[in-house]
């Protein structure tokens, strides 16, 4: 076992019983799914709105400038 894992085990063993449930919930959320051994699967809709233009918020000023500079149609 790694040093970090040993330290984690030691700290968990020292926790008062009242703190075990919240910590256990946090660790369960972070652990990979046992059946596939990978990460939790994402819902099918994840990525459907990807524009391919990167972070639109970071470029919002440029987008607004370009749109406001256009002639009305």
């Amino acid at each position: 076992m790694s040093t970090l894992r040993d330290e984690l085990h030691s700290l968990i063993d020292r926790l008062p019983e009242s703190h075990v449930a919240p910590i256990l919930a946090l660790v369960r959320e972070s652990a990979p799914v046992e059946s596939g051994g990978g990460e939790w699967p994402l819902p099918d809709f994840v990525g459907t709105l990807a524009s391919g233009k990167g972070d639109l918020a970071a470029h919002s000023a440029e987008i607004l400038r370009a749109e406001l500079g256009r002639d009305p149609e």
Side-chain angles (χ1 to χ4, degrees), residues 12-28:
I12 288 172
D13 289 341
R14 295 187 335 214
L15 281 176
E17 196 63 33
S18 60
H19 293 131
V20 172
I23 299 296
L24 178 59
L26 180 65
V27 173
R28 279 181 178 155

Side-chain angles (χ1 to χ4, degrees), residues 41-65:
L42 294 174
D44 291 337
F45 63 84
V46 172
T48 57
L49 299 177
S51 67
K53 296 182 181 179
D55 185 4
L56 295 178
H59 303 290
S60 61
E62 296 170 18
I63 294 168
L64 286 172
R65 229 178 275 115

